[in-house]
Amino acid sequence: MVRTRLMGPLSWGWVKWPSVMGTGVLYLLLLSTCLGQDTEDWQYEECKLSRSGPPATIVAIDEESPNGTLLVENMQINGVAEGPDRTISLSLRDNRDYWVILDPSKQALYLNSTGRLLDRDPPSYIQSIVVQVQCTNELIGTVILHEVRIVVRDRNDNAPRFQQPRYYVAVSELTPVGTTIFSGFWGNNGAADIDDGPNGQIEYTIQYNPKDPTANRTFDIPLTLFGSMVLRERLNYEEITRYLVIIQANDRAPYPSERRTATTTLTVDVLDGDDLGPMFLPCTLVGNTRDCSPITYKANVLELTEPNKVNPLNVTPPIQAVDQDRNIQPPSERPGILYSILIGKPQTYAEYFSLNRTTAELLLLRPIDRELYRRFDLVIKAEQNNGHPLPAFANLQIEVLDENNQAPYFLETSYHGYVSEASPVGTTIATSGSLSAPLAIVALDNDVEETKDPQLQFSLDSYSNVFSVSATGIRRYITLLQPLDRETQDFYTFTLLASDGVQQSFPVTVTITVLDANDNTPTFANVSYNVNLFTDMMPGETVLQLSAVDSDAGPNGQVTYRILAGAQEHFIIGNSTGIISVAPGVDLAVGRSYALTVEAMDNGPAPQRRSSITTVYIEVLPPNNQSPPRFPLQQYNLEISEAMRTGATLLNLQAVDRERDTITYKIHSGDPHGHFALKENSGTLVLDKPLDRESLDYYTLVVTASDGQPDGTSTAMVNIMVMDVNDNDPLFISSLTVNLTVTEEQDNAFVGQVKATDPDLGSSGQVHYRLVNHQKLFSINATGAIRTTVPLDREVKGHYFLIVEAWDGSVDPRRSRLTLSVTVLDVDDNIPVFTQQTYNVNLPENSPKDSVILQLKAIDADLDSNLTYRIRSEGLDPEITRLFRVDPGTGELSVLKVLDYEALKDSEPTYMFTVEALDREGTMPPGLASVTVTIIDMNDFPPVFSQSAYRGMVAPNAVKGTIVTTVTANDSDPAGTPAGLVRYKVDQDAYPYSASIFDVDEHTGHVVTRVNLNEEPNLKFNLVVVAYDDGEPLKENTTLVEITVLQPSVIPVFTQEEYRFAPVSEEADVGTPVGVIVAAAVNQTIVYSIIEGNEGGVFALNETTGVISTAKPLDYEANSSYVLRVEANSMRVVSSNLRVPSKTNTAKVMIDIQDENDHPPVFTTSLYIGGVAEDAKTFTSVLQVQALDQDTGNYSSMIYRLIIPPQPGKDTKKSKDGFVIEPYSGVVKTAIMYRNMRRSYFKFEVVATDNYGQGHSTKAEIVVSVVNQLDMQVVVSNVPPTYVEKNKNKLLSILERYVQDQIPGAKVVVETIGPNRHGDGMEQEDYTKSDLMIYAIDPLTNRAVSRQELYKFLDGKLLDINKEFQPFLPPGGRILEIRTPDVVTSVKKAMQTVGYTEGALLALAVIIIICCVPAILIVIITYRQFKERQAECAKTARIQMALPTGKPGGGTANNLYEELGDNAIRSNHSGGGNGGSLDEIDRQRLISDFADRAIAAHRQCVANGGVLNKLPKSESNITFLSDENPLTIKNPIYHEDGTLSSPETLGRSQRRRDLLGNFSPSRKGLREAWLRLSSSGGDVGFGGYSGSDSGWGSGGGHSWTLPSRLHRRDMYDAVRRQVVMDPVQWELELLKAEFKESKDAGLDSGFDRGLDSDLMGSPSLEPKLTVKEQARQFEQQALQEMRQRQNRDSRGSLSPDFLLSIFPESPQHLKQTPTHTIPFVLTRDGPPSIIVTQSDGGTPPPSHKPTPPVLRRFGGNLTANPSGDDRLQVHLEIIPDPPSTPPPPPPPMTPPPPPPPASSPPSPTSPPPQHPASPPPLPPPSPHSNQTKKQAPPPPPPPPPPPPPPLPPPSSPSLLRPSTFVLPSLSEVPALRPVSLRPPPPPLPVEPEPQRRELKGILKNIQNIADIEKSVANMFSQIDRKQIPLKKVMKGRASIDSLDSLDLDLLAAEGGGGGEAGSGGGEGGEGGREGTGGGEDPPPPPPPQIRPNTNMNSIVEELEKRFPSQSTML
């Protein structure tokens, strides 16, 4: 019970709490059981990321983002970090540098950059920030780390920066364009940008530099990322030597506007290259170019002067040339200059002068005789010795002066000159007082010609500073050197001397009078005069006398006075006295005042008068004092400068007192400090003390004037304003610091600031600043701030004293200066630099180990540098480190081991390595230097003499320098080293006396005499000689020399001191004796030797006999003379191997070499090309050849001659060469005229023979092309012709070079140089311009280049040509144009103006008709007589065409035949049925009768052009000429419209009818016209049959003559004259057309009808056109006909193809059928005989007249065939042009060969070439031959054919056989050209021919009947001029058959052959007719080469001489 009570309360507590806790536990267990698993998972989700994706959070931010930038807006972590419900806690881990701030509540991250920047770039390198966000789950206590990566993005916030402040590169100017010249930006040497990505990528560009505008176009950076700079334009050191290239480096930010840049300057120095040649000095530039004006050097040489006295010649200015590339580096690569003489005149200059190749010294080689040469003009050349192709040229003129042995002399004994004192400096002294002619002083020197300037020097004994004499000229003039004053000295007298440098003249006295000039003005003593007058002054009383002084003389000094103004007629003055007096009748009033202006004037010439004026003040005073002084003004205002000097007069206060009392002036008030003073007596206010505006700037003074009387005082006020002046300097503020600093390498860096003040007003107080010095380094602005303008380099200069000047803004500013000290702060920007870039050290062998052999020293320009030295290890030989060592601190180089020179492998052991100097605390690369260590050998051996003792002998009188003996020592040390070099000297101490008279040569060891000896014989001297080397240490050795003085008797003596032998020919054989030298001695054997002058061993000396002979071949050109020194010694001396030179045993030998002609001439070129104009006159110079010869004298004098090959086919005896040459000058000249020879050329040789044609010869070729103005161009320039002529060769060479660019080797030739021709007709001449007419010759074709091509070659390069022309033309000179010559232009214009010809001719005709009415009346009266004479002339003019029948006059035949000169002429004659030869009498009779009738025809044809004028005048008419009167009918094929119709257009019947009918006269006229045949045997000349008289036996013949071809040169004349149509060609065209249509109807009927219709009268004849209609039709047809004639011009009307087309069955088509028979009806009228003129090149037709008749025949014979059918036989005879080749020599007298076959007839020119397709047919044997033919020797083969086609010889018609038409065989040629255009045929080979009698008399000139006809035609024009009265001479007429046979005989005889009587001839082998021989004929002989006689008048004269009986009337 007690127990329970005691425990009551306490037990309750224990019971209660356990129960409660148990209940809670149960409750919790129960709750957890109820909630289950969901409550536990929620707690674990805290701190995890609520987002999906990677666990790390990555964000990006730009660098330099501002503080507080949001990095992560929400970390998205599960849980609550703040507040009461916080489940997690957040914090940052690894937040380095605390860049991130965490906001837990928002789970946001922010940037923390307070006080700093987030910089991604160096040096921060913050590229990313990584932090960990730590999350703690406070529910369960777990920790989770979330990584946040913040990437820092780069911004372009850094600009590129170059690693170096500047860059440098040197480039040669020869660097090709496109070369990379700088690549220094590659790698780490360029610009760097620390930004990332494109912001840090660099690209380089070149920017425009305004200071160097050419840099950006000269260079380029094509690859901007690499920065390599290439060359865009060619560099030229002479224009620009340095470029400043601004290089910009910019990054590659995506947006260009955000890109940053940096710039640097690349200095490109241009190195000089060898691109220019040398230039001669002095150089005078031409205009603004770098080209030098041509320079001429001048030199003088006295005649007959020895070269050794004047060499080298003095040249003015000295010859010097320098390379224009003067700065080629290194200097060792600069080329040297070589000089030479290029060319000169006279050509023998090389014999007298030479030019040193290197020094340019002009040397005289031999004396010059002034009688031979007086002047040498040379061209010298300077060229580089490296083969540079641009030489320089200069002229050198050398005058040969006369020997100066005459003294100069004056022509007058004294001279008197005049000069005006007003003459300016340079005025020439005159010879008279009128000053009209200059005073000429003439001094002559007889040493110089009177016409040449003697080059005297004049000297004055006094007044040389006043007068001078002109320096050059025969007439010298005195000029003024300073102005003269006659008033000081009025004449000068001095003496004048003339000197030529050696001789001096007698002095002459020169007096010069100075003439007065009005150069002084009259001068008054005072400027003004004051005079007081009183009222009682009387009129005429003197007031004042003035006096003015004039120093001039004569009228110039006479003074006249006058009053100009102010007298008021109250005063007068004396004109000459100057006295002023009161005018008469004037009363002076009190108070009046006067101011007289008085003038004083001299009396010089009116335009030159001088005058002066003065003022005379006159005041009239009262008799007593009545008033006080009065001031003129009561108030005075004055402004003065504060800078006015003390004592200066400010104001003149003049009070006026009427009574003239004394006035006293005072300052009453206003000047408290006493700055002013008023002079008491004069009233002058002056400044007494300096003013200062800054203290007081205004004063008011009160002044008084008193005369001392009571009430005699008056006052005035003076107001003075003090004006400011700039009297204060700007003052710098003293508190500013003057010690400034600036860091180097900073641009536009601030240095400091200054300030100054100025108390002056206005602009004078405005302060400006400027830098006095270092303006290129520093700048200052208006505020005084100083900055750097360029980066400074402390290493260049570390301290500057900068002077700043402050000045105010006044006009004359005041200045003050302040000196500032600027210190440049250092940065590490320099590498260490060794004191030497290369160290060379010699290391003696055996040097001790660790010996210091070199001290290296490097300097680092930066401050506080710490250098370390070492050997560079890159590329180092390991042996170097074993041999050498460099101390790092001191730089000492030492050797590590002992070296032995002999043990080393190399002969010259050398070690090379590189050392470095490095700044250990710097950032710059190390400095480098090269070290070369050479191991040198030490001197191990002394010199050793070859002998222990030497002996020598010397003459007792030996001269100084005589060699006594020679000592020799050798050193065993290596040769070429100093230790091995031995030298000699004399030991002075051993034998002093011997050492005083003997010496030894240091190098050779020759013991020589030091003085001229005078010792006793037999004396002996001892001399100690020391031999030493230059080794280290020096080693030496000695020897003894014993010298003996010989007896004089044993020394040989030469008989002559100098030997001069006869000249030796340079062609002398080796061993040829030259001469003998002789020496004598007493009892001694003499030995001779050559001691000097025989260096080449050219001569040999026999040592015993003294004979000098040649040892080698001589060459005069190499050395023209030799000087030998010979010596004679006794045998005793020689045997001792000694020599004893003395005066007597030595002699000089002079040997001259005689020049021989051993060198042939050499032409300057192997081919000379020239040109000659067609119209060039005879002996016109074409070109000049020159050959040079190395020989001298006559052996180099040339004789030139030409070798012109004869033209092929011409007689060399008669032909004339086209050119001649002047034998001495080589000038080739023309010898003939070259008209119509354009486009042809001459090629011949020139031979030069030296020794005036007696020596060697050399050939060269000459090509001369014939040109005319069609080949030329005119170069028009704006300079006068004289300039062009002066520089013709230079200008021509430039033009030639441009032509040669297109045509290699072309030659440009100048035709003319003249004034410019302009105007419409090119008739005006402008001498301010020039025309240079040129043409070019192509060497390949030898012809002129076409005018069009020449224009293209030159006009296209006109700009380039003008550039090269500039040095040779005056300033502004240039080529204006290249134009066509005037002649070509005028021809074109003339062709354009042809249309105006009709109107002009019509107007001219009207005028002539009106004016010539009287002449018309006279013509009407004389018309009948004229017609009669004309008929007679027409009848007799054709004698040579058809000789009429009649009996010959036998009396004159024999004489005529003998005169013709050949009694053996043989011919063929066909007649009757028998063949026979024409006997001698008949032949003589024929020729005599023909000449008789030809001369008779000339006597009758006295009318002017009677025959010629009656030939047909137009194509509309045809004229028949026969023995009767001529008949003119209409041309059937002529149309009214002026055209010629083709034969095919006519009707067949009309053509047949017109073939013979319409061309013939009526039947009656035709019958009467036929010539009667009188031969008994029925012989017919032209053809016919042996029938009755009414048949062909009595037929007649018509003669027609017309030209068948018109020469090309006559085409233009044909347009202006009436044309005669060719009837032969027209008839052949009709035949051709008829044969083509023969298939429709037979030709027989056509001929029959044609003849019948004609005989009955042709109804188709149309009336003749009027002259007017013919003229109009002809003008329309002129050009067409000319084209037709051009086509026929090269072929001829009877060309082969034309004839063959007419007759297709000709012998060439029918080889075995040589004839073609044409049947037709027989009529009794014979066909006409047609004369065809093929060409007449020798005698051109006269103007407006048809071509004279020439014998040509187109004949036809009509015979009866056996069947009775009528046949037409047409014989075609074509006589060609006279050949251009001379005839061969006459053949021997042998029987002539038979005539040639018909298929290959010989032509008078040459045989035709046989066409291979148509061989000539052989003539068939004649069955009727009754004669045998004699065989002739076979002739030589024919020569090649000439270009003209051959034509067959005439053939006699057959009389007994059926008539056939036979066509000759003609060769096929492309075209027939006129004779003038045909090239000459090749010469014929000389072959033996049968002898024949030489032709005599007229037969020498007449080769055939055609030539006789030409002579007759030529006589017409000769007889027409004489007007001899008519006398008809009737002669017998020869038969036609005689003419025919004569024709054949003459041709056969002239051709050198012909058939025997009865031989066949003609076409198809006419040997088939009766009476002719048969059988095959041998080959034809060579054709005759007939040369036409160009002078037909000689033929006429020959005829008259041979037949005096027929020519009595002539």
Side-chain angles (χ1 to χ4, degrees), residues 37-83:
Q37 187 65 32
D38 294 336
T39 302
E40 184 178 356
D41 293 339
W42 170 78
Q43 296 176 354
Y44 284 97
E45 290 297 324
E46 297 298 302
C47 287
K48 293 183 179 179
L49 295 177
S50 64
R51 61 175 176 82
S52 59
T57 301
I58 302 175
V59 295
I61 185 175
D62 293 334
E63 64 174 333
E64 298 184 4
S65 295
N67 185 36
T69 300
L70 179 63
L71 301 178
V72 181
E73 184 177 1
N74 192 342
M75 289 294 298
Q76 299 184 21
I77 300 175
N78 292 331
V80 178
E82 294 289 342

Side-chain angles (χ1 to χ4, degrees), residues 286 289 291-294 1287 1290-1291 1294 1361-1370 1373:
V286 179
T289 65
D291 299 329
C292 300
S293 299
N1287 301 292
K1290 297 177 181 178
L1291 302 180
I1294 296 174
I1361 296 175
N1362 275 326
K1363 290 181 181 179
E1364 298 193 35
F1365 269 25
Q1366 289 303 317
F1368 312 111
L1369 298 180

Side-chain angles (χ1 to χ4, degrees), residues 1128-1203:
N1129 288 303
S1130 64
M1131 179 63 73
R1132 191 183 88 180
V1133 174
V1134 175
S1135 62
S1136 301
N1137 197 20
L1138 300 174
R1139 41 192 307 273
V1140 186
S1142 68
K1143 296 181 179 178
T1144 59
N1145 71 338
T1146 59
K1148 182 188 294 185
V1149 179
M1150 310 291 292
I1151 302 176
D1152 293 329
I1153 309 302
Q1154 178 178 340
D1155 189 21
E1156 299 292 344
N1157 194 6
D1158 58 341
H1159 291 87
V1162 177
F1163 278 99
T1164 56
T1165 180
S1166 60
L1167 175 62
Y1168 293 90
I1169 300 177
V1172 61
E1174 278 187 326
D1175 55 352
K1177 297 180 179 180
T1178 308
F1179 299 112
T1180 300
S1181 297
V1182 179
L1183 53 86
Q1184 185 175 14
V1185 299
Q1186 184 184 20
L1188 305 178
D1189 197 322
Q1190 298 183 22
D1191 296 317
T1192 59
N1194 292 345
Y1195 296 146
S1196 62
S1197 300
M1198 302 296 162
I1199 289 291
Y1200 300 95
R1201 61 185 176 89
L1202 298 179
I1203 299 179

Side-chain angles (χ1 to χ4, degrees), residues 1719-1797:
F1720 85 116
V1721 179
L1722 269 175
T1723 64
R1724 292 185 176 274
D1725 296 328
S1729 179
I1730 301 173
I1731 310 300
V1732 178
T1733 301
Q1734 187 175 1
S1735 71
D1736 190 5
T1739 307
S1743 178
H1744 300 286
K1745 297 178 182 179
T1747 306
V1750 182
L1751 182 60
R1752 301 289 187 264
R1753 293 190 304 155
F1754 180 59
N1757 292 337
L1758 298 177
T1759 62
N1761 55 12
S1763 61
D1765 296 334
D1766 295 335
R1767 301 291 181 181
L1768 172 63
Q1769 180 176 356
V1770 180
H1771 295 281
L1772 176 65
E1773 175 183 281
I1774 300 173
I1775 299 178
D1777 296 331
S1780 58
T1781 57
M1789 291 301 295
T1790 58

Side-chain angles (χ1 to χ4, degrees), residues 49 65 173 204 341 453 743 754 783 828 873 1004 1097 1172 1221 1387 1405 1530 1547 1703 1781 1818 1842 1863 1968 1970 1992:
L49 295 177
S65 295
E173 66 173 329
Y204 302 90
I341 300 177
D453 184 6
T743 303
V754 296
T783 63
D828 186 17
S873 59
T1004 63
V1172 61
I1221 189 170
V1387 170
K1530 176 177 174 57
F1703 306 105
T1781 57
L1818 297 176
L1863 181 69
E1970 293 187 17
M1992 291 303 174

Side-chain angles (χ1 to χ4, degrees), residues 759-813:
D760 290 322
L761 296 179
S763 60
S764 299
Q766 297 177 359
V767 181
H768 306 275
Y769 305 96
R770 77 178 183 94
L771 297 179
V772 178
N773 57 349
H774 304 303
Q775 298 173 355
K776 296 182 178 180
L777 302 179
F778 300 91
S779 65
I780 187 171
N781 60 12
T783 63
I786 302 174
R787 291 182 175 272
T788 61
T789 58
V790 295
L792 302 179
D793 190 353
R794 190 205 63 80
E795 288 71 31
V796 175
K797 191 171 184 179
H799 195 85
Y800 297 89
F801 289 98
L802 197 61
I803 300 176
V804 181
E805 182 180 80
W807 81 94
D808 53 33
S810 64
V811 176
D812 187 12

Side-chain angles (χ1 to χ4, degrees), residues 22 30 36 83 117 193 437 455 518 594 767 822 952 1258 1263 1687 1708 1874 1887:
L30 186 62
L117 287 177
D193 193 335
Q455 301 288 336
N518 193 10
Y594 303 89
V767 181
V822 180
T1258 302
V1263 173
N1687 294 333
Q1708 289 190 359
E1887 299 292 346

